[in-house]
Amino acid sequence: MTLSIDDYKALSQELDPKKLQRTILALLLKLQNVERGSLWIEKNNMYECVEAMGHQSEELKGVKLSPNKKSIVGWVIKNGKMTTAKAGADARHNSQFEDKFKVKSKHILCFPLLLKGKEVYGAVQVIDTSSAGDNLNLAPDYLKMLQEMVDISSLALRNSLEFQKQQRKYAQLSRTLSSIRGKTSIVGKSASINKALKLVSNYAATNYPVLVYGESGTGKELFAEEIHAQSSRANKPFLTQNCSAIPENLLESELFGYVKGAFTGANTNKLGLFEAADGGTVFLDEIGDMDINLQAKVLRVLQESEIKPLGGTETKKINIRIISATNRKLEEDVRSGRFREDLYYRLNVLPLKLPCLDERKEDIPLLTEYFLAREASYSHMLPKKLDPKAMIAMKTHKWPGNIRELENSVKQFQALVPGDTILLSDLPRHIGFPIAKAQNNIPLSEKTGASRIKSENILPEDLTTFTWKEMEASYVMKLLEKYKWNVSQAARAAGINRSTFDSRMKKLGINKQVN
């Protein structure tokens, strides 16, 4: 069997590395009349199987071989030569990967993947699993023809990998330019953020669903977009839908679209989000709030990669990646029957837990400076700076609203602080009070809408001997005593809503006294 013109076209015209890898391998298997094969590339000082075909091939994809361990692939990459080997009889054969295989290798043929300068960057092998192990055509002229085909394939694959690399660089540059123009970036160097970013990089290399966990305001959509931006789908759409923002029937039409006449008012066909994102990524925020009836339809999208618009009779195949996010405990929702168990496991293939801001306090100065610089650029002004004491207050403050709350605070500074330096006295009372009192500082300013701290001893002077909860409880009790347990007046003095003050009382175990 020889190569046709169509075979050469398939090798020279394909730019997608994954498709090209399969084309190369399938062609070699066809030419040698065998069913098993694999393609390996040298990555990070390891030999990684990036494509495999044949019985139980999925168990081989992603496997990494150390150069220090014997293997046919390793020998070929090190020596840059084609070789054949009888499985079990050749000392170079590493048989441990076939321990669980029902069908074992009998005869192996392996070619190096070479660049123009004879640099080896990988290997491709085809394996005869027939009982006699004599299916491979090892005639010298035939092997020479195959080697020439592999050499052409090597250059084509390398070019496609380089093309993909350049696409990612372009996508990165686009993200950088977008960031300069005002798009939010992931800012931080804490261990928890570095861990999350490493997972983002790993997840981006796959097409599996990702479920992002985290409190409100931790940046779930931002991380989802970063996964998309680092993936092979970067130049395709990234579309977002908040599942809690609209009613069930409207959400279904937004996701799946509808055909003309599907319901009253459907005067034209409408393209749904899933179809509009074909080839790209759909981010479903607050997935835990999705109605259980709609969950079944989303499950089918994940299982079958197909949709049916409302009122339609035909299904449409789509190619999308779904990244979802929630601030709920979905495991509890599954147990209570509020969320489908099968959908949960489909969505939670790759979990990504984002830390709250209190778990990454070392990032607060970086985030504050980033937001100050960004807001200043909007106003065409120089960024304001935080006084060291003010920065300490920012770092020690608990941020229930996480990064979103921090961002909004910075916007207040930009609008309300007249100078170029933000002092401790410029901070809102709930942020600056503990530091101001601990350092016996001047009263907080009213410029930010906060009431001035009175000269009375509201809290014990030695704050360092108290936990945060004890300090808060002491503050609440002093206010209540001062205003004779009038909760409304105490809340007003604290600068917060009565409902919020009452809620804090309950959490602290403080009950309103009745005279």
Side-chain angles (χ1 to χ4, degrees):
M1 187 179 290
T2 58
L3 287 167
S4 67
I5 293 177
D6 289 338
D7 290 332
Y8 279 110
K9 282 184 178 180
L11 292 173
S12 61
Q13 295 178 358
E14 183 59 64
L15 290 176
D16 186 326
K18 290 184 178 180
K19 291 181 180 178
L20 184 55
Q21 287 163 189
R22 293 192 67 82
T23 300
I24 294 169
L25 201 49
L27 190 54
L28 269 177
L29 294 178
K30 182 180 77 170
L31 292 171
Q32 278 291 3
N33 193 30
V34 293
E35 296 182 353
R36 181 180 292 172
S38 55
L39 192 148
W40 302 71
I41 289 180
E42 188 172 4
K43 287 183 179 181
N44 302 320
N45 298 319
M46 297 288 283
Y47 305 141
E48 181 178 345
C49 179
V50 294
E51 189 56 73
M53 288 184 176
H55 185 64
Q56 293 181 279
S57 59
E58 288 301 318
E59 296 181 28
L60 194 58
K61 286 177 68 173
V63 166
K64 296 180 182 179
L65 282 171
S66 169
N68 300 323
K69 291 187 177 181
K70 63 178 183 178
S71 67
I72 302 297
V73 167
W75 186 92
V76 168
I77 293 176
K78 286 178 182 177
N79 292 275
K81 298 178 182 178
M82 178 269 293
T83 192
T84 61
K86 290 249 179 122
D90 195 305
R92 298 170 298 174
H93 182 225
N94 188 334
S95 61
Q96 69 178 43
F97 296 115
E98 294 190 339
D99 288 345
K100 297 180 181 179
F101 285 15
K102 293 180 180 179
V103 180
K104 311 290 185 183
S105 300
K106 294 294 173 54
H107 210 156
I108 303 167
L109 171 63
C110 191
F111 296 91
L113 296 173
L114 300 166
L115 297 178
K116 286 183 179 180
K118 301 302 180 184
E119 176 190 349
V120 184
Y121 70 91
V124 58
Q125 63 179 5
V126 290
I127 299 168
D128 186 356
T129 58
S130 64
S131 57
D134 57 0
N135 279 6
L136 290 174
N137 184 346
L138 302 179
D141 289 344
Y142 195 70
L143 290 180
K144 182 179 179 181
M145 182 271 290
L146 290 183
Q147 182 66 72
E148 289 174 353
M149 186 274 285
V150 171
D151 289 344
I152 293 171
S153 302
S154 298
L155 291 174
L157 180 57
R158 190 64 178 181
N159 287 339
S160 70
L161 290 169
E162 184 61 30
F163 177 74
Q164 186 183 65
K165 182 180 177 182
Q166 293 302 321
Q167 274 191 318
R168 288 178 177 172
K169 282 186 177 179
Y170 174 78
Q172 179 65 44
L173 178 60
S174 296
R175 294 198 306 276
T176 302
L177 290 173
S178 296
S179 176
I180 292 172
R181 296 185 183 114
K183 184 180 175 182
T184 306
S185 301
I186 297 176
V187 177
K189 61 180 181 180
S190 61
S192 58
I193 281 298
N194 286 334
K195 180 180 178 181
L197 288 173
K198 186 175 181 179
L199 286 175
V200 164
S201 180
N202 292 339
Y203 292 175
T206 76
N207 278 309
Y208 302 131
V210 179
L211 182 54
V212 187
Y213 297 88
E215 296 178 6
S216 179
T218 50
K220 294 187 287 294
E221 182 175 348
L222 194 59
F223 274 83
E225 192 166 359
E226 187 64 22
I227 293 172
H228 170 79
Q230 291 188 31
S231 75
S232 58
R233 299 173 181 267
N235 59 342
K236 297 293 184 179
F238 175 85
L239 303 181
T240 300
Q241 178 61 57
N242 189 317
C243 299
S244 66
I246 56 178
E248 174 200 354
N249 57 335
L250 291 180
L251 179 58
E252 183 176 356
S253 67
E254 285 296 314
L255 295 178
F256 292 88
Y258 54 78
V259 299
K260 183 179 178 180
F263 50 83
T264 304
N267 300 320
T268 59
N269 293 341
K270 173 182 169 61
L271 194 68
L273 199 71
F274 288 144
E275 190 175 355
D278 195 26
T281 304
V282 171
F283 176 60
L284 299 178
D285 199 7
E286 305 298 348
I287 188 74
D289 294 333
M290 180 180 287
D291 183 86
I292 197 160
N293 294 320
L294 185 53
Q295 290 174 26
K297 297 182 180 181
V298 173
L299 177 63
R300 182 169 180 81
V301 175
L302 287 162
Q303 289 176 328
E304 307 297 336
S305 295
E306 64 182 26
I307 59 165
K308 184 165 71 172
L310 284 173
T313 57
E314 296 181 357
T315 59
K316 299 180 181 180
K317 282 289 184 181
I318 55 170
N319 171 24
I320 60 169
R321 182 186 199 169
I322 290 183
I323 301 177
S324 50
T326 183
N327 58 12
R328 301 174 63 95
K329 294 182 179 179
L330 285 188
E331 299 92 338
E332 295 180 2
D333 288 341
V334 168
R335 286 193 291 270
S336 67
R338 193 182 182 282
F339 199 86
R340 291 181 64 109
E341 184 177 20
D342 45 7
L343 178 59
Y344 170 70
Y345 287 119
R346 284 280 183 176
L347 294 171
N348 197 36
V349 177
L350 300 176
L352 178 60
K353 177 71 170 67
L354 298 187
C356 63
L357 192 52
D358 288 336
E359 295 172 341
R360 46 179 294 209
K361 285 189 175 291
E362 60 267 47
D363 290 335
I364 290 176
L366 292 174
L367 288 162
T368 303
E369 290 170 5
Y370 170 80
F371 289 133
L372 284 170
R374 193 190 67 183
E375 295 305 315
S377 69
Y378 292 159
S379 307
H380 304 288
M381 299 169 60
L382 289 174
K384 298 180 188 294
K385 295 181 180 180
L386 256 76
D387 174 85
K389 291 180 181 179
M391 185 61 82
I392 291 172
M394 295 287 285
K395 287 185 69 175
T396 56
H397 174 63
K398 295 185 74 69
W399 297 92
N402 293 294
I403 299 170
R404 187 179 295 119
E405 181 187 357
L406 175 63
E407 180 183 7
N408 289 339
S409 295
V410 169
K411 289 178 179 179
Q412 291 178 21
F413 302 158
Q414 184 70 23
L416 300 174
V417 177
D420 58 1
T421 301
I422 301 164
L423 304 175
L424 181 62
S425 57
D426 292 316
L427 301 184
R429 180 186 180 99
H430 67 285
I431 296 177
F433 174 79
I435 299 301
K437 188 66 180 176
Q439 298 182 354
N440 197 23
N441 213 303
I442 59 172
L444 296 182
S445 171
E446 293 177 347
K447 286 182 288 187
T448 57
S451 303
R452 289 183 176 273
I453 298 177
K454 305 300 180 181
S455 59
E456 291 93 322
N457 182 23
I458 297 178
L459 283 173
E461 289 297 327
D462 187 8
L463 296 178
T464 60
T465 62
F466 287 78
T467 66
W468 187 274
K469 188 174 181 180
E470 289 170 339
M471 185 173 69
E472 186 178 13
S474 177
Y475 173 64
V476 170
M477 285 297 297
K478 288 289 184 181
L479 282 175
L480 289 169
E481 289 170 3
K482 178 178 179 180
Y483 292 101
K484 304 185 186 307
W485 286 82
N486 186 312
V487 177
S488 296
Q489 290 184 17
R492 194 176 302 114
I496 59 177
N497 293 331
R498 188 193 188 286
S499 59
T500 303
F501 193 93
D502 191 63
S503 175
R504 293 309 304 161
M505 285 175 59
K506 290 177 181 177
K507 288 185 178 181
L508 293 168
I510 299 174
N511 298 317
K512 184 176 180 180
Q513 294 181 351
V514 180
N515 294 329

